[in-house]
Every structure is written in structure tokens, then in C-alpha cells.
Amino acid sequence: MKLNKNFLVHKTGGETVVVPTGNADFSGIVKGNKTLGAILDLMKNDTDEQQIIDAMAERFEAPRDVIEKDVANVIIKLRSIGAIDE
């Protein structure tokens, strides 16, 4: 999976926002924190959920089950707005 080219990522301070271009079927903004930003960075290249979880576990000091849940929630949200190319 990879972030759809019709969505742009903008980071300011500790906030990350995902915005659609005019070619996306979604209209709105997704706001998140540094965790969202880190996940989106990993989705610049083709990856899968397990690779994202592994990379996040190396980067952040958090229980693995919390990381797995956070990654799953982000992927569900991004899929629901059409922001992921499978």
C-alpha cells in the first residue's frame, strides 16, 4: 500500500494534516499528530501494515499492541477516504 498521489501531507510543529487535491473524491482535512506524520512518511513508498508497525516500534517507545492499534486506526481512516493505493 502507498499514499494516493491525490493527497498531500503538510507538517507544522507537532501537527500533521492530510489534504486532498482537486482530483480526490474526498473533500475535507485529516488532522493528526507526529504519529500520523511518521506513518505517512513510511507510506511514501510501497509498504504493508506489518512493515509500518515494525518501523514505528523501532522509532517510538510504546507497547507494541498500542502501536498496532494506532497503525490500524490510521490505515482504516485513510482507506475510508480513498487516500491509500493498495
Side-chain angles (χ1 to χ4, degrees), residues 1-58:
M1 79 181 113
K2 188 174 181 178
L3 185 65
N4 183 294
K5 66 180 180 176
N6 293 322
F7 289 83
L8 304 174
V9 177
H10 182 72
K11 297 179 187 178
T12 56
E15 186 175 71
T16 301
V17 292
V18 180
V19 294
T21 66
N23 297 324
D25 291 331
F26 173 76
S27 61
I29 296 175
V30 176
K31 291 183 180 182
N33 56 18
K34 290 182 181 181
T35 302
L36 173 63
I39 293 169
L40 292 169
D41 283 344
L42 293 165
M43 293 181 71
K44 288 178 182 176
N45 299 308
D46 196 29
T47 189
D48 63 33
E49 188 169 346
Q50 193 59 53
Q51 290 172 326
I52 294 170
I53 292 167
D54 291 343
M56 296 294 286
E58 287 180 21

